[in-house]
Amino acid sequence: MISSYFSYKTLKEINFKNEILAGLTVAMTMIPESLSFAILAGLSPLTGLYAAFLMGLITAIFGGRPGMVSGGAGATVVVLIALASLHGVEYLFAAVIVAGIIQFLVGVCKLGRFVRLIPQPVMYGFLNGLAVIIFMAQVTQFQITTPNSTTWLTGTSLYLMLGLTALTIAIVWLFPKWTKKVPSSLVAIICISLLVFFLQLDTKKVIDIAEVSGSLPQFHLPVVPFTLETLKIILPFSVVMAGVGLIESLLTLNIVDELTNTKGNSNREAMAQGGANIVNGFFGGMGGCAMIAQTLVNIGAGAKTRIAAILGALTILCIILFGGTIIEQIPMAALVGVMMVVALSTFEWVSFRLITKMPVSDIFTLFLVTGIIVFTHNLALAVLVGVIVSALIFAWDNAKRIRARKSWDEQGNKIYEIYGPLFFGSTTSFAEKFIPQEDPNCIIIDFKESHIADMSALEILKKVIVKYQELNKKVVLRNLRADSLRLIHNSKAFQEIEIESNPLQEELQ
């Protein structure tokens, strides 16, 4: 039972050292990010930490694949900032619950697989844009924020922060050349923390963002009116949050699939994300989704089972309850350095090498998605636009490919052999192939290398046939596929049309 739970690995095959160290590293990198986004949304810092614990634990246990890490992600929190500022935090908790229900239903209805329809250029654009956002988020740590202003570090404070960050990056990059038995990210955080402690360096620490100590999350119903009006207020935010969370989570799942050469369960992941957000809403968490940066840290540290993510979540809980004062002393430079390396490794540098090899349309889509993410920070919008643009380009390319080869049989009937799909984008080109006034009394339209895809195709086919019938000429349809025959039969507009079928094709269908 235990071996099947941990991805069918026996206990002897699990490298517990890697799993434990990876879990600790993930916890260290997740804490400042969760705190930062909670403060950004005007919430209590503990709201972000509760989300990191609840999301991390529930999705680690019930999620669609080992190795993924979820928490209080900024992508979903940003969606709810306006709701919290206008109506208060209780409405935010209610919105998180509704978003969780939506995500759970997506998994139950097995709609998670549709994320696999996202084209590769959109994936590259998503990763590149996300990498830029992660990197720029770390740059803001070089600022000092007060209630009245935000200023950049200067003088000794700036040089010290830059030096410690550079040292962290060097350790993360160089330590694996010596040994990979211990995650370099964790080594870097510990080394920089000890250096700052023993040399008593005056630099920015986690405590400068917020206090970490607290108690166990408490169950409570969101204090909002249970009315239709309340639902109207929170539903738009919930739908957007659910969409953003699912897109980021399922794209992260796909990325881990590629990195590990394994396959996760997208529907199970959707249900786990939904369930975790429902629990968040009832226990004072700000909600969230999969965190790609922490997931990459986890995978890079050698985690291959669910153990690391579970330990990471439990570590965050222990820190909330017992270890807050220690974590508060971690230099922000160490965490910034680790996250900068993650950003650089997240960026798909290979996409630059493919610029001269990929179609212009794919390059355009890649940069479009990246630009939308960088300038709007709206991951869902960027992916949606990318998919729509890719679909339109695909439709345009296929519309241009429809052809008709013309020949005559022994009886003098003209045969139009159609190549390419007949759908809404190719209807105009299809109609232009026919010349009813000049054709003989009988023509045959052969669909052996084509098929009728939609209602627009049916409509244009009907119009072409009517033009021939008005001239008292006969039209015969040949070699229609089963799906095309079904469309014609259901339309009930071709009852007087002769339809021939290839016996061999019928047998194959």
Side-chain angles (χ1 to χ4, degrees), residues 361-375:
S361 58
D362 286 349
I363 298 299
F364 171 76
T365 303
L366 189 158
F367 282 103
L368 176 65
V369 172
T370 301
I372 292 174
I373 291 177
V374 170
F375 290 107

Side-chain angles (χ1 to χ4, degrees), residues 109-326:
C109 297
K110 301 187 183 300
L111 301 177
R113 65 183 181 274
F114 287 109
V115 77
R116 299 187 184 275
L117 297 176
I118 297 175
Q120 192 64 40
V122 177
M123 292 280 286
Y124 280 153
F126 173 84
L127 288 173
N128 291 351
L130 195 59
V132 173
I133 289 178
I134 293 172
F135 190 90
M136 295 309 297
Q138 310 316 309
V139 173
T140 60
Q141 297 301 330
F142 290 84
Q143 297 174 335
I144 299 176
T145 302
T146 64
N148 299 322
S149 64
T150 298
T151 58
W152 290 93
L153 293 174
T154 57
T156 304
S157 298
L158 175 61
Y159 298 138
L160 184 58
M161 185 83 168
L162 287 172
L164 292 174
T165 301
L167 181 59
T168 301
I169 294 173
I171 294 173
V172 174
W173 271 341
L174 298 177
F175 189 80
K177 299 182 184 298
W178 178 50
T179 179
K180 295 183 179 180
K181 294 183 179 180
V182 182
S184 58
S185 300
L186 183 60
V187 172
I189 292 172
I190 293 174
C191 289
I192 299 302
S193 299
L194 292 176
L195 180 66
V196 170
F197 176 76
F198 286 112
L199 297 181
Q200 292 296 300
L201 300 177
D202 184 17
T203 186
K204 190 176 181 181
K205 301 175 183 177
V206 172
I207 186 63
D208 296 319
I209 297 178
E211 294 184 0
V212 179
S213 302
S215 60
L216 284 171
Q218 302 293 319
F219 175 84
H220 87 291
L221 290 173
V223 185
V224 297
F226 288 88
T227 62
L228 185 60
E229 186 64 29
T230 300
L231 184 61
K232 289 180 180 179
I233 293 173
I234 66 174
L235 187 59
F237 295 94
S238 298
V239 170
V240 175
M241 177 188 171
V244 171
L246 284 177
I247 288 174
E248 187 160 358
S249 298
L250 298 182
L251 281 180
T252 302
L253 184 142
N254 278 0
I255 291 165
V256 178
D257 284 353
E258 293 179 5
L259 291 174
T260 60
N261 293 318
T262 57
K263 186 176 181 180
N265 188 323
S266 56
N267 294 314
R268 180 175 173 181
E269 183 63 32
M271 288 189 286
Q273 294 286 335
N277 275 316
I278 293 172
V279 173
N280 262 274
F282 285 119
F283 282 87
M286 66 182 184
C289 63
M291 304 181 76
I292 188 169
Q294 280 69 24
T295 297
L296 293 175
V297 167
N298 194 38
I299 298 297
K304 296 182 179 179
T305 72
R306 301 175 186 272
I307 295 175
I310 293 173
L311 285 177
L314 293 177
T315 299
I316 291 173
L317 177 63
C318 291
I319 289 170
I320 294 172
L321 299 178
F322 312 112
T325 54
I326 297 175

